[in-house]
Amino acid sequence: MRVRFSVIPATVVAATLFAPLQGAEAQTAPRLVDATGLEWLFTNDVVADAAYTGAVAADKAPTGTHLAVLADAFDGYGGVTVAVDGGAATAYSAAWTGATECNGRQMVLPTQALGGVSVTRKVYVPADDGFARWLTTIDNPGAAARVVTLGVTGNLGSDAGTTLGATSSGDMVASAGDTWVVTYGAFTQDSSREPRLAHVLSSPGAAAAATGVQFATGDDTPAWTYQVSVPAGGRVSVLSFAAATQTVADAALQGAFLAALPPTATACLSSSEQASVVNMVPGVVPSAPAANGTAALAITSPTVASTFDAAGPFLSLGGTAGSSGLQSITWSNSRGGSGTALGLTSWMVPAIRLESGTNVITVTATYSSGVITDTLSVSLNSLRYMLPGDATESFFTPDVLIANPNAVEAEATITFLKGDGTTVTLPPTTLAPTSRTTLRLNGVPGVEDTGAVSTVVSTATTTPLVVERTMFWDGTNYGSHGAMAQSGPRTTFLFGEGAQGFFDTYLLLANAGAEPATVTVRFLREGETAITRTYEVAPTSRFNVYAGSIAELANRAFSMAVDSDKPITAERAMYFGSPMFNAGHDSEGATIASPRWQFAEGASGGFFDTYFLLGNASSRTATVNLTFQLPNGTTVPVTRTVPPFGRTTIFADNEAPALADTAFSLSLVSSEPITAERSMYWAGTSTGWYEAHNALGVIEPATRWGLAEGRVGMADNFETFILVGNGNSDEAVVRFTFLRKSGGTVVRTYTVNGNSRFNLFVNAMVPELLDEEFGVVVDVLEGGGVTVERSMYHSSGGEQFRGGTATPAMRLP
């Protein structure tokens, strides 16, 4: 990750900060700077010192803050001694040879034999959180169990001014019952120049808690021990953490946060390493302290590299910034366009318009001390639309829908990725101007009845298309779901929805690249701790993750965070009921979390049940303000929270009396970036549900949208609704241009009132489209941006609304 730090003059910086480390075996670690701007300096496995790279808003006594460079955190901390079966303690003293893992963020030290056991250490400093972590692994090669006493020692830079600030038990005496302890340098007059430190020793309920805990005011040499039994031929590991913050209160929050072993605390640990840890276990994660740190700026999404090849006409951009003195985050494109990002310390830009060729995106963080910039060079030379979740076995019938919203012909190449890693590419397809094309995959040679398959639609130009998929099943079409294509692969995907038990949930992954992708999935369980699984997706192939194969997900609701080391695409499908897959829904994944989401569709009452699923993959509690917009122009406000690394389910009917029986749209604003989806079920309560549909929210309104799918009448009696949400106070004049398979168009124009939603029932309001398939382009002629979705229903066995889909529209330039 590239991070830009400001240069802020400091009156005091510890002289030891950049002093060379002496000794023949001393190895200076890479420059490890955590997300708060704290630089950690190591000699082998011992942290020699830590200091902020710039000024932070440090606490004062008795209240208030001031900008200061906090330094001299340690004078040597984190070393260990090992005593086996009551023998003498011997220091671990292996010299670091330069080996690293996790893109250089984790130092790997050699194995050292001590008293009949083998000891290995790893030291990790993350780029997305603020701490250092030590993993000490003890292997017993012998034929009998060994009892090992592991001692941890330290020397603090606060020297005789060391002050005990807080403990996990709430008293001011550090003891064996404490899982974390806070220390800081004594305040001189009203300030202290050392970082405030959290020392994390163990987790509540862990098998091997810390003993012999020695932290005291006036003593700068803390120490503690662990006594562990290592079985014959077995392995045991111990974790410990240190974190530096700018306030004593934040140090206590960070200590409690890390003691719960959140997902960020186990990054870069293998599943076997995590399983061997005896002193820490995952718990309910409290909110981490508010984002803090020095003036710094980093673009982290869609890439941490300096260049990116885009596959769509819009780019979502995200990143982080240090909090101290931060005033604003703005962006500009060398090809035109500028604006202000959403958020500050965790910021994002929903959709930057790209032009053909090179676009240099410059992000500027404005601080009270000056400005910092970071840039990303984005190339747009062709377009790719990806649908990872197709299937062509006899049970499923998928249709790929392609709309050409342009007044000129477009040429598309369609490639299918099969589960065995082979591909099928069709000859180039010419798309007539302002037309809709349907491709039934079961009739494509080489793809029919192939099982899991993914579809890639590409163009050699940057003329935009709209690509969707609708999937029916059982031949009788008693169920269906749909999804909008994703613009190119990414390394991160987020899903608000997921459940196993009543539902069957599948995560569908497609790798169109030439190298295997290692994919880590965090399941953010509602009301419980998150769990993590890792998978490998072969090149040019499709891979399914079935939640029912993971015991910890049984009868749980969850959100998902997907991270891959190579660009992929991801989709989620859910099914329920009898006969098999009686009903289901599907959604593409969000590629970035956002503090704002909007939904054009929603309904409550006797027929529909509407749920909103909010996922929070961040370390802080998200406070979410929801505004339901009713057809009469009134609004209903609701406030909910989403815990860190967690999920919250909102059943609209129960949120307010005015929502018990009405149509609505929704806008939500969150204190932290989250992911939001909506699921709708019918008819009646869950015992009577026979179908459903789902949609990912839209981050911001726009003035031009496209949909590739729409059907009216025909054998299955299709009904199509175009849903427009207007969250502005002023009305909007909206034009709907329907794209027929023949290439002709039908146009309608309507006025959408402010703070309301509008339904265009195509069957009744556009009779020219009877028994046709079509796409639609929605343009705002007057007024502000709107959000657009499409709902489509059909009959089966004489039962109307037996199947249904919903899809948010694709933004068009």
Side-chain angles (χ1 to χ4, degrees), residues 527-808:
E528 296 184 79
T529 59
I531 65 168
T532 301
R533 293 293 186 272
T534 301
Y535 306 93
E536 183 168 291
V537 184
T540 62
S541 72
R542 153 86 177 271
F543 183 83
N544 294 349
V545 177
Y546 174 43
S549 66
I550 303 173
E552 296 93 330
L553 297 180
N555 300 311
R556 266 91 165 183
F558 50 86
S559 297
M560 293 181 285
V562 180
D563 292 292
S564 175
D565 68 340
K566 300 290 190 302
I568 61 168
T569 50
E571 196 174 317
R572 182 218 58 254
M574 291 175 62
Y575 304 95
F576 64 93
S578 178
M580 184 176 72
F581 294 175
N582 183 55
H585 55 66
D586 181 278
S587 178
E588 67 274 21
T591 59
I592 192 168
S594 171
R596 297 182 186 175
W597 292 95
Q598 300 191 36
F599 297 87
E601 165 73 307
S604 58
F607 190 76
F608 287 107
D609 283 341
T610 299
Y611 294 82
F612 294 94
L613 306 316
L614 311 182
N616 180 10
S618 80
S619 60
R620 290 177 288 276
T621 298
T623 300
V624 185
N625 295 315
L626 305 99
T627 302
F628 292 87
Q629 297 144 350
L630 308 186
N632 62 8
T634 61
T635 60
V636 178
V638 173
T639 299
R640 297 290 297 275
T641 60
V642 190
F645 307 109
R647 155 171 157 163
T648 293
T649 301
I650 297 173
F651 179 38
D653 295 54
N654 291 347
E655 292 303 317
L659 296 175
D661 188 5
T662 183
F664 53 81
S665 55
L666 173 68
S667 298
L668 64 85
V669 178
S670 173
S671 63
E672 300 291 332
I674 61 171
T675 309
E677 295 187 47
R678 182 207 63 238
S679 293
M680 294 178 64
Y681 303 90
W682 63 89
T685 63
S686 59
T687 56
W689 291 347
Y690 57 79
E691 182 57 312
H693 56 52
N694 168 279
L696 176 68
V698 174
I699 295 178
E700 70 173 4
T703 57
R704 184 169 170 83
W705 297 96
L707 289 158
E709 174 66 295
R711 309 184 194 206
V712 168
M714 299 183 287
D716 286 335
N717 297 315
F718 285 97
E719 296 184 7
T720 296
F721 299 81
I722 310 299
L723 314 161
V724 180
N726 180 11
N728 306 299
S729 57
D730 296 328
E731 66 184 23
V733 179
V734 181
R735 181 180 66 201
F736 301 81
T737 303
F738 294 90
L739 314 176
R740 307 172 95 164
K741 292 182 71 173
S742 63
T745 63
V746 179
V747 178
R748 292 289 189 274
T749 302
Y750 299 96
T751 297
V752 182
N753 293 328
N755 290 317
S756 69
R757 63 169 267 182
F758 172 80
N759 294 353
L760 195 165
F761 179 28
V762 180
N763 296 53
M765 300 167 73
V766 196
E768 300 96 317
L769 296 176
L770 178 63
D771 293 330
E772 287 195 30
E773 302 175 355
F774 53 86
V776 63
V777 175
V778 181
D779 291 289
V780 178
L781 304 180
E782 298 177 24
V786 299
T787 56
V788 178
E789 294 184 33
R790 182 214 60 254
S791 294
M792 188 175 75
Y793 305 92
H794 66 272
S795 65
S796 177
E799 185 176 14
Q800 187 59 2
F801 275 52
R802 188 60 186 81
T805 69
T807 304

Side-chain angles (χ1 to χ4, degrees), residues 315-612:
L315 178 74
S316 295
L317 195 71
T320 59
S323 64
S324 296
L326 179 60
Q327 298 173 343
S328 66
I329 304 288
T330 57
W331 64 271
S332 64
N333 184 356
S334 63
R335 302 293 298 278
S338 61
T340 300
L342 301 179
L344 288 173
T345 54
S346 293
W347 56 266
M348 64 89 61
V349 183
I352 296 175
R353 174 73 172 96
L354 302 176
E355 301 292 341
S356 297
T358 301
N359 301 252
V360 179
I361 312 299
T362 300
V363 179
T364 301
T366 300
Y367 286 87
S368 56
S369 57
V371 300
I372 309 173
T373 61
D374 197 4
T375 60
L376 178 65
S377 180
V378 181
S379 297
L380 178 66
N381 299 305
S382 61
L383 302 179
R384 275 194 296 172
Y385 303 90
M386 308 184 75
L387 291 162
D390 296 323
T392 58
E393 57 202 32
S394 58
F395 185 74
F396 290 111
T397 303
D399 289 345
V400 172
L401 309 319
I402 306 174
N404 177 10
N406 308 286
V408 297
E409 286 186 348
E411 187 175 88
T413 299
I414 303 171
T415 300
F416 302 98
L417 314 177
K418 303 202 301 188
D420 61 4
T422 62
T423 63
V424 174
T425 300
L426 300 183
T429 299
T430 299
L431 308 171
T434 59
S435 69
R436 134 87 181 254
T437 298
T438 303
L439 178 65
R440 177 147 290 187
L441 269 56
N442 294 64
V444 176
V447 177
E448 75 276 23
D449 296 327
T450 195
V453 65
S454 298
T455 303
V456 181
V457 178
S458 58
T459 69
T461 69
T462 58
T463 301
L465 304 176
V466 183
V467 181
E468 297 187 51
R469 181 228 306 111
T470 300
M471 185 179 292
F472 306 94
W473 47 87
D474 185 49
T476 65
N477 293 355
Y478 71 72
S480 62
H481 58 49
M484 183 64 70
Q486 302 167 22
S487 295
R490 294 287 190 274
T491 56
T492 297
F493 292 91
L494 301 163
F495 298 89
E497 172 69 297
Q500 189 61 39
F502 180 86
F503 298 94
D504 285 306
T505 295
Y506 296 83
L507 178 63
L508 317 171
L509 307 174
N511 176 12
E515 297 181 287
T518 300
V519 181
T520 300
V521 184
R522 283 183 287 162
F523 297 92
L524 313 178
R525 299 184 298 177
E526 188 158 10
E528 296 184 79
T529 59
I531 65 168
T532 301
R533 293 293 186 272
T534 301
Y535 306 93
E536 183 168 291
V537 184
T540 62
S541 72
R542 153 86 177 271
F543 183 83
N544 294 349
V545 177
Y546 174 43
S549 66
I550 303 173
E552 296 93 330
L553 297 180
N555 300 311
R556 266 91 165 183
F558 50 86
S559 297
M560 293 181 285
V562 180
D563 292 292
S564 175
D565 68 340
K566 300 290 190 302
I568 61 168
T569 50
E571 196 174 317
R572 182 218 58 254
M574 291 175 62
Y575 304 95
F576 64 93
S578 178
M580 184 176 72
F581 294 175
N582 183 55
H585 55 66
D586 181 278
S587 178
E588 67 274 21
T591 59
I592 192 168
S594 171
R596 297 182 186 175
W597 292 95
Q598 300 191 36
F599 297 87
E601 165 73 307
S604 58
F607 190 76
F608 287 107
D609 283 341
T610 299
Y611 294 82
F612 294 94

